Amino acid sequence: MHPRSHYEHLAKLFDYPRHDYARWVQACYNLLEDQYPLAAAGIEKFAQALPTDSEEISPESLDEIQEIFTRSFDVQAITTLGVGYVMFGDDYKRGEVLVNLSREHDAVGIDYGDELPDHLPNVLRLMARWEDRELAAEFAQEILYPALERMVAEFEPERSEERDSLYEKHYRTLIASSARRRMMFREPLRAVIAVLKSDFTLTEWKPPEHANDFLRAIGRELEIEASDSLPTGTGGAR
């Protein structure tokens, strides 16, 4: 087994869930249990939150897992899996990150498919295969680790309430979800952080005074959507 195969297993936790998802969660736990006990504890907590008691997921349970995954990372998302976007938003620096990551993916034979090179599963697969460990360590410190910390922060209750208020304002309704499962994808994100801290000597991350605010960006998008949906002449000066 490749000594860094744990990153390949962690990557699968952030792929869109399929029928074998619970099996991959268990395999990831088994792989991390001895060397990464803190990360394994997070994966165990995640496994307990899944709506299944076995490695076989019923169609109904799979629908629920996929829905929570989508709400966490895709549609009306808590955060996004694009680590470059989390760090830099639409700034030109993200473009530089994408170009450099694309080159590194090509060098180790990773096909990132329909996703961008900074998509978290693609980045984790790169961490598994990156031969230049100094470059991998630099990337972990400067981009991957702080991006993950920012992503985890978006799952905090205060941010969740802020988000619910935002969506209620624009959609007049909230998407109901299990309180126990709603934030469950925070646990695998924390597990990745624990692995990175074990594998690399990382300087503790501190939130910047003016962080890239994903929730604020969502708010701007909703305001634009609302403005675009108004009839011509609505909302003008009186």
Side-chain angles (χ1 to χ4, degrees):
M1 182 178 291
H2 194 286
R4 297 191 297 273
S5 63
H6 49 284
Y7 287 106
E8 297 273 6
H9 279 69
L10 286 165
K12 285 187 173 290
L13 301 185
F14 302 99
D15 286 332
Y16 189 70
R18 303 297 180 188
H19 68 280
D20 59 349
Y21 189 74
R23 193 174 306 132
W24 274 109
V25 173
Q26 184 62 48
C28 191
Y29 172 82
N30 294 341
L31 190 64
L32 298 174
E33 184 178 12
D34 292 335
Q35 190 173 352
Y36 304 95
L38 185 60
I43 299 301
E44 183 178 28
K45 188 174 180 180
F46 178 60
Q48 291 170 352
L50 291 174
T52 179
D53 296 324
S54 69
E55 293 185 0
E56 298 301 320
I57 302 178
S58 69
E60 295 78 12
S61 294
L62 181 59
D63 285 345
E64 183 176 356
I65 295 170
Q66 289 175 339
E67 187 175 3
I68 296 170
F69 180 91
T70 298
R71 292 174 185 173
S72 295
F73 302 120
D74 290 332
V75 177
Q76 297 186 3
I78 290 173
T79 184
T80 174
L81 290 175
V83 298
Y85 183 82
V86 171
M87 287 299 296
F88 305 115
D90 291 323
D91 190 86
Y92 75 92
K93 291 181 181 178
R94 189 200 183 193
E96 293 180 352
V97 170
L98 292 174
V99 169
N100 291 328
L101 283 176
S102 178
R103 181 178 63 248
E104 297 298 328
H105 284 316
D106 290 343
V108 295
I110 296 176
D111 179 5
Y112 46 83
D114 295 332
E115 302 292 350
L116 292 172
D118 68 344
H119 190 62
L120 181 59
N122 292 328
V123 168
L124 291 174
R125 291 182 175 101
L126 178 60
M127 294 297 291
R129 306 181 201 183
W130 226 334
E131 294 302 324
D132 188 338
R133 299 315 289 166
E134 288 188 8
L135 186 56
E138 181 181 355
F139 180 79
Q141 176 65 69
E142 300 299 328
I143 295 179
L144 181 54
Y145 169 49
L148 288 166
E149 288 281 17
R150 291 181 179 192
M151 292 161 75
V152 167
E154 290 297 329
F155 284 85
E156 294 301 320
E158 182 178 338
R159 301 292 283 170
S160 176
E161 292 172 8
E162 214 177 321
R163 190 178 303 104
D164 285 350
S165 176
L166 179 66
Y167 289 139
E168 188 173 30
K169 172 185 175 183
H170 287 277
Y171 295 114
R172 304 288 183 248
T173 184
L174 294 177
I175 302 174
S177 60
S178 165
R180 177 171 175 245
R181 296 179 180 133
R182 182 181 187 185
M183 301 298 178
M184 69 182 189
F185 279 97
R186 173 176 56 185
E187 301 309 322
L189 291 171
R190 284 175 167 172
V192 178
I193 290 174
V195 168
L196 288 175
K197 287 184 173 181
S198 180
D199 286 349
F200 301 97
T201 304
L202 299 176
T203 303
E204 197 65 25
W205 178 77
K206 295 181 180 179
E209 291 183 8
H210 302 288
N212 171 45
D213 193 329
F214 183 73
L215 188 56
R216 190 175 296 122
I218 292 282
R220 286 197 300 268
E221 290 178 7
L222 293 177
E223 293 289 354
I224 292 171
E225 287 180 11
S227 176
D228 288 346
S229 66
L230 292 175
T232 302
T234 302
R238 297 184 181 181

